mmCIF file of all heavy atoms in Angstrom:
data_model
loop_
_atom_site.group_PDB
_atom_site.id
_atom_site.type_symbol
_atom_site.label_atom_id
_atom_site.label_comp_id
_atom_site.label_asym_id
_atom_site.label_seq_id
_atom_site.Cartn_x
_atom_site.Cartn_y
_atom_site.Cartn_z
ATOM 1 N N PHE A 520 16.903 -128.482 -143.836
ATOM 2 C CA PHE A 520 16.871 -129.813 -143.094
ATOM 3 C C PHE A 520 15.958 -129.801 -142.021
ATOM 4 O O PHE A 520 15.112 -130.764 -141.824
ATOM 5 C CB PHE A 520 18.315 -130.013 -142.458
ATOM 6 C CG PHE A 520 19.389 -130.300 -143.589
ATOM 7 C CD1 PHE A 520 20.727 -130.173 -143.279
ATOM 8 C CD2 PHE A 520 19.027 -130.693 -144.931
ATOM 9 C CE1 PHE A 520 21.667 -130.390 -144.123
ATOM 10 C CE2 PHE A 520 20.055 -130.833 -145.843
ATOM 11 C CZ PHE A 520 21.374 -130.654 -145.510
ATOM 12 N N GLY A 521 15.725 -128.667 -141.367
ATOM 13 C CA GLY A 521 14.675 -128.507 -140.281
ATOM 14 C C GLY A 521 13.221 -128.677 -140.999
ATOM 15 O O GLY A 521 12.354 -129.314 -140.386
ATOM 16 N N ALA A 522 13.168 -128.028 -142.094
ATOM 17 C CA ALA A 522 11.795 -128.069 -142.778
ATOM 18 C C ALA A 522 11.572 -129.462 -143.183
ATOM 19 O O ALA A 522 10.311 -129.898 -143.097
ATOM 20 C CB ALA A 522 11.844 -127.103 -143.837
ATOM 21 N N LEU A 523 12.522 -130.192 -143.555
ATOM 22 C CA LEU A 523 12.093 -131.442 -144.199
ATOM 23 C C LEU A 523 11.671 -132.458 -142.969
ATOM 24 O O LEU A 523 10.967 -133.300 -143.138
ATOM 25 C CB LEU A 523 13.285 -132.143 -144.940
ATOM 26 C CG LEU A 523 13.612 -131.468 -146.409
ATOM 27 C CD1 LEU A 523 14.687 -131.896 -146.954
ATOM 28 C CD2 LEU A 523 12.340 -131.884 -147.228
ATOM 29 N N THR A 524 12.473 -132.342 -141.771
ATOM 30 C CA THR A 524 11.927 -133.187 -140.621
ATOM 31 C C THR A 524 10.655 -132.676 -140.242
ATOM 32 O O THR A 524 9.914 -133.674 -139.762
ATOM 33 C CB THR A 524 12.962 -132.876 -139.514
ATOM 34 O OG1 THR A 524 13.052 -131.613 -139.062
ATOM 35 C CG2 THR A 524 14.479 -133.409 -139.861
ATOM 36 N N GLY A 525 10.267 -131.449 -140.420
ATOM 37 C CA GLY A 525 8.821 -131.122 -140.097
ATOM 38 C C GLY A 525 7.889 -131.761 -141.054
ATOM 39 O O GLY A 525 6.867 -132.217 -140.710
ATOM 40 N N ALA A 526 8.232 -131.532 -142.387
ATOM 41 C CA ALA A 526 7.355 -132.056 -143.422
ATOM 42 C C ALA A 526 7.113 -133.672 -143.218
ATOM 43 O O ALA A 526 5.941 -134.178 -143.349
ATOM 44 C CB ALA A 526 7.801 -131.912 -144.814
ATOM 45 N N GLY A 527 8.072 -134.222 -142.670
ATOM 46 C CA GLY A 527 7.958 -135.623 -142.416
ATOM 47 C C GLY A 527 7.534 -135.980 -140.976
ATOM 48 O O GLY A 527 7.495 -137.227 -140.571
ATOM 49 N N THR A 528 7.250 -134.910 -140.282
ATOM 50 C CA THR A 528 6.769 -135.064 -138.869
ATOM 51 C C THR A 528 7.625 -135.993 -138.035
ATOM 52 O O THR A 528 7.237 -136.887 -137.187
ATOM 53 C CB THR A 528 5.307 -135.579 -138.777
ATOM 54 O OG1 THR A 528 5.138 -136.985 -139.261
ATOM 55 C CG2 THR A 528 4.322 -134.671 -139.493
ATOM 56 N N ILE A 529 8.953 -135.853 -138.190
ATOM 57 C CA ILE A 529 9.900 -136.747 -137.401
ATOM 58 C C ILE A 529 10.725 -135.804 -136.458
ATOM 59 O O ILE A 529 11.773 -135.404 -136.787
ATOM 60 C CB ILE A 529 10.764 -137.526 -138.500
ATOM 61 C CG1 ILE A 529 11.838 -138.346 -137.755
ATOM 62 C CG2 ILE A 529 11.379 -136.583 -139.488
ATOM 63 C CD1 ILE A 529 11.283 -139.483 -136.949
ATOM 64 N N THR A 530 10.235 -135.735 -135.331
ATOM 65 C CA THR A 530 10.889 -134.873 -134.227
ATOM 66 C C THR A 530 12.265 -135.254 -133.876
ATOM 67 O O THR A 530 13.075 -134.603 -133.547
ATOM 68 C CB THR A 530 9.946 -134.602 -133.083
ATOM 69 O OG1 THR A 530 8.632 -134.244 -133.470
ATOM 70 C CG2 THR A 530 10.503 -133.740 -132.084
ATOM 71 N N ALA A 531 12.376 -136.747 -133.826
ATOM 72 C CA ALA A 531 13.676 -137.281 -133.420
ATOM 73 C C ALA A 531 14.755 -136.764 -134.314
ATOM 74 O O ALA A 531 15.854 -136.554 -133.907
ATOM 75 C CB ALA A 531 13.572 -138.735 -133.481
ATOM 76 N N ALA A 532 14.460 -136.646 -135.589
ATOM 77 C CA ALA A 532 15.483 -136.310 -136.603
ATOM 78 C C ALA A 532 15.804 -134.701 -136.371
ATOM 79 O O ALA A 532 16.980 -134.282 -136.524
ATOM 80 C CB ALA A 532 15.162 -136.497 -138.056
ATOM 81 N N LEU A 533 14.767 -133.926 -136.040
ATOM 82 C CA LEU A 533 14.969 -132.622 -135.741
ATOM 83 C C LEU A 533 15.954 -132.317 -134.490
ATOM 84 O O LEU A 533 16.841 -131.536 -134.448
ATOM 85 C CB LEU A 533 13.714 -131.840 -135.391
ATOM 86 C CG LEU A 533 13.788 -130.381 -134.936
ATOM 87 C CD1 LEU A 533 14.414 -129.491 -135.906
ATOM 88 C CD2 LEU A 533 12.493 -129.906 -134.403
ATOM 89 N N ASN A 534 15.735 -133.255 -133.503
ATOM 90 C CA ASN A 534 16.626 -133.169 -132.328
ATOM 91 C C ASN A 534 17.933 -133.551 -132.632
ATOM 92 O O ASN A 534 18.995 -132.950 -132.148
ATOM 93 C CB ASN A 534 16.105 -134.061 -131.247
ATOM 94 C CG ASN A 534 14.684 -133.650 -130.655
ATOM 95 O OD1 ASN A 534 14.459 -132.458 -130.632
ATOM 96 N ND2 ASN A 534 13.913 -134.603 -130.288
ATOM 97 N N ALA A 535 18.192 -134.420 -133.552
ATOM 98 C CA ALA A 535 19.538 -134.857 -134.039
ATOM 99 C C ALA A 535 20.215 -133.690 -134.839
ATOM 100 O O ALA A 535 21.391 -133.433 -134.723
ATOM 101 C CB ALA A 535 19.543 -136.069 -135.023
ATOM 102 N N LEU A 536 19.390 -132.973 -135.611
ATOM 103 C CA LEU A 536 19.832 -131.743 -136.303
ATOM 104 C C LEU A 536 20.330 -130.705 -135.369
ATOM 105 O O LEU A 536 21.324 -130.097 -135.496
ATOM 106 C CB LEU A 536 18.880 -131.163 -137.194
ATOM 107 C CG LEU A 536 18.617 -131.689 -138.731
ATOM 108 C CD1 LEU A 536 17.523 -131.209 -139.397
ATOM 109 C CD2 LEU A 536 19.952 -131.704 -139.465
ATOM 110 N N LYS A 537 19.590 -130.456 -134.320
ATOM 111 C CA LYS A 537 19.803 -129.341 -133.374
ATOM 112 C C LYS A 537 21.147 -129.651 -132.690
ATOM 113 O O LYS A 537 21.981 -128.890 -132.239
ATOM 114 C CB LYS A 537 18.654 -129.256 -132.389
ATOM 115 C CG LYS A 537 17.504 -128.576 -133.083
ATOM 116 C CD LYS A 537 16.447 -128.051 -131.927
ATOM 117 C CE LYS A 537 15.754 -129.143 -131.235
ATOM 118 N NZ LYS A 537 14.834 -128.637 -130.364
ATOM 119 N N GLU A 538 21.406 -131.023 -132.359
ATOM 120 C CA GLU A 538 22.622 -131.495 -131.726
ATOM 121 C C GLU A 538 23.875 -131.295 -132.595
ATOM 122 O O GLU A 538 24.830 -130.792 -132.336
ATOM 123 C CB GLU A 538 22.528 -132.982 -131.337
ATOM 124 C CG GLU A 538 21.620 -133.212 -130.078
ATOM 125 C CD GLU A 538 21.499 -134.738 -129.870
ATOM 126 O OE1 GLU A 538 22.266 -135.433 -130.544
ATOM 127 O OE2 GLU A 538 20.724 -135.045 -129.015
ATOM 128 N N GLU A 539 23.684 -131.693 -133.981
ATOM 129 C CA GLU A 539 24.810 -131.351 -134.860
ATOM 130 C C GLU A 539 25.015 -129.927 -135.085
ATOM 131 O O GLU A 539 26.214 -129.662 -135.249
ATOM 132 C CB GLU A 539 24.360 -132.027 -136.156
ATOM 133 C CG GLU A 539 24.301 -133.601 -136.172
ATOM 134 C CD GLU A 539 25.624 -134.209 -135.941
ATOM 135 O OE1 GLU A 539 26.697 -133.953 -136.572
ATOM 136 O OE2 GLU A 539 25.660 -135.094 -134.948
ATOM 137 N N ALA A 540 24.048 -129.162 -135.082
ATOM 138 C CA ALA A 540 24.212 -127.758 -135.422
ATOM 139 C C ALA A 540 24.598 -126.915 -134.042
ATOM 140 O O ALA A 540 25.001 -125.762 -134.229
ATOM 141 C CB ALA A 540 22.991 -127.129 -136.022
ATOM 142 N N ASP A 541 24.394 -127.599 -132.954
ATOM 143 C CA ASP A 541 24.598 -127.013 -131.704
ATOM 144 C C ASP A 541 23.833 -125.666 -131.602
ATOM 145 O O ASP A 541 24.322 -124.619 -131.129
ATOM 146 C CB ASP A 541 26.066 -126.663 -131.428
ATOM 147 C CG ASP A 541 26.429 -126.387 -130.021
ATOM 148 O OD1 ASP A 541 25.651 -126.685 -129.104
ATOM 149 O OD2 ASP A 541 27.364 -125.761 -129.704
ATOM 150 N N SER A 542 22.547 -125.785 -132.026
ATOM 151 C CA SER A 542 21.715 -124.535 -132.130
ATOM 152 C C SER A 542 20.310 -124.874 -132.270
ATOM 153 O O SER A 542 20.013 -126.045 -132.701
ATOM 154 C CB SER A 542 22.109 -123.733 -133.390
ATOM 155 O OG SER A 542 21.314 -122.664 -133.684
ATOM 156 N N THR A 543 19.413 -124.056 -131.861
ATOM 157 C CA THR A 543 17.975 -124.274 -132.173
ATOM 158 C C THR A 543 17.410 -123.718 -133.352
ATOM 159 O O THR A 543 16.374 -123.826 -133.685
ATOM 160 C CB THR A 543 17.248 -123.591 -130.976
ATOM 161 O OG1 THR A 543 17.527 -122.225 -130.856
ATOM 162 C CG2 THR A 543 17.556 -124.225 -129.564
ATOM 163 N N ILE A 544 18.322 -123.204 -134.255
ATOM 164 C CA ILE A 544 18.024 -122.673 -135.519
ATOM 165 C C ILE A 544 17.281 -123.595 -136.372
ATOM 166 O O ILE A 544 16.200 -123.312 -137.075
ATOM 167 C CB ILE A 544 19.241 -122.090 -136.269
ATOM 168 C CG1 ILE A 544 19.783 -120.858 -135.742
ATOM 169 C CG2 ILE A 544 19.061 -121.949 -137.810
ATOM 170 C CD1 ILE A 544 18.901 -119.584 -135.968
ATOM 171 N N PRO A 545 17.463 -124.947 -136.522
ATOM 172 C CA PRO A 545 16.759 -125.700 -137.242
ATOM 173 C C PRO A 545 15.260 -125.769 -136.960
ATOM 174 O O PRO A 545 14.331 -126.127 -137.831
ATOM 175 C CB PRO A 545 17.422 -127.157 -137.101
ATOM 176 C CG PRO A 545 18.824 -126.896 -136.739
ATOM 177 C CD PRO A 545 18.686 -125.677 -135.766
ATOM 178 N N ALA A 546 14.916 -125.416 -135.834
ATOM 179 C CA ALA A 546 13.405 -125.487 -135.344
ATOM 180 C C ALA A 546 12.753 -124.306 -136.094
ATOM 181 O O ALA A 546 11.438 -124.422 -136.198
ATOM 182 C CB ALA A 546 13.288 -125.237 -133.796
ATOM 183 N N LEU A 547 13.478 -123.240 -136.524
ATOM 184 C CA LEU A 547 12.683 -122.175 -137.284
ATOM 185 C C LEU A 547 12.100 -122.669 -138.559
ATOM 186 O O LEU A 547 11.019 -122.384 -139.086
ATOM 187 C CB LEU A 547 13.697 -121.167 -137.498
ATOM 188 C CG LEU A 547 14.028 -120.320 -136.365
ATOM 189 C CD1 LEU A 547 15.086 -119.260 -136.909
ATOM 190 C CD2 LEU A 547 12.980 -119.516 -135.841
ATOM 191 N N GLY A 548 12.788 -123.767 -139.208
ATOM 192 C CA GLY A 548 12.298 -124.320 -140.407
ATOM 193 C C GLY A 548 11.318 -125.361 -140.231
ATOM 194 O O GLY A 548 10.642 -125.670 -141.112
ATOM 195 N N TYR A 549 11.279 -125.752 -138.938
ATOM 196 C CA TYR A 549 10.395 -127.103 -138.659
ATOM 197 C C TYR A 549 8.973 -126.757 -138.544
ATOM 198 O O TYR A 549 8.186 -127.704 -138.941
ATOM 199 C CB TYR A 549 11.100 -127.715 -137.456
ATOM 200 C CG TYR A 549 10.284 -128.917 -136.938
ATOM 201 C CD1 TYR A 549 10.516 -130.207 -137.315
ATOM 202 C CD2 TYR A 549 9.367 -128.785 -135.911
ATOM 203 C CE1 TYR A 549 9.965 -131.325 -136.762
ATOM 204 C CE2 TYR A 549 8.582 -129.831 -135.328
ATOM 205 C CZ TYR A 549 8.965 -131.228 -135.860
ATOM 206 O OH TYR A 549 8.387 -132.232 -135.280
ATOM 207 N N THR A 550 8.620 -125.652 -137.923
ATOM 208 C CA THR A 550 7.320 -125.524 -137.470
ATOM 209 C C THR A 550 6.155 -125.481 -138.413
ATOM 210 O O THR A 550 5.168 -126.228 -138.339
ATOM 211 C CB THR A 550 7.210 -124.254 -136.545
ATOM 212 O OG1 THR A 550 7.611 -123.200 -137.324
ATOM 213 C CG2 THR A 550 8.070 -124.534 -135.339
ATOM 214 N N VAL A 551 6.221 -124.709 -139.528
ATOM 215 C CA VAL A 551 5.297 -124.516 -140.585
ATOM 216 C C VAL A 551 5.157 -125.909 -141.333
ATOM 217 O O VAL A 551 3.930 -126.429 -141.465
ATOM 218 C CB VAL A 551 5.568 -123.381 -141.568
ATOM 219 C CG1 VAL A 551 4.573 -123.501 -142.777
ATOM 220 C CG2 VAL A 551 5.370 -122.091 -140.766
#
Side-chain angles (χ1 to χ4, degrees):
F520 294 158
L523 286 171
T524 61
T528 64
I529 176 68
T530 305
L533 172 67
N534 293 334
L536 276 176
K537 290 195 291 187
E538 290 178 4
E539 291 297 309
D541 193 22
S542 170
T543 56
I544 284 285
L547 289 174
Y549 176 87
T550 52
V551 169

